Amino acid sequence: MKTILKLAPAAAALMLVAACGSTMEQRAATGAVGGAVAGQVIGGDTGSTVAGAAIGAVAGAATTPR
């Protein structure tokens, strides 16, 4: 239950910034920052932060601007 309570705000924040930017590089960068924050909140260690940043960067780069 504690993980879910930590995950919900982190996931919401990640979704808000995942596609910010007009170029693929900008979207990847904002996704990486959001993913790093989410990984740190959820896992609380360096490995989780790095994994979150990697996942966020891929998700951000894969999105398209509106």
Side-chain angles (χ1 to χ4, degrees):
M1 184 62 149
K2 290 181 183 179
T3 303
I4 293 173
L5 293 176
K6 289 181 183 179
L7 182 61
L14 181 62
M15 285 186 265
L16 287 174
V17 299
C20 291
S22 57
T23 67
M24 182 178 68
E25 292 83 7
Q26 290 173 341
R27 293 188 306 274
T30 57
V33 170
V37 171
Q40 180 61 34
V41 168
I42 295 167
D45 60 1
T46 303
S48 299
T49 304
V50 171
I55 293 168
V58 170
T63 58
T64 57
R66 292 183 181 203

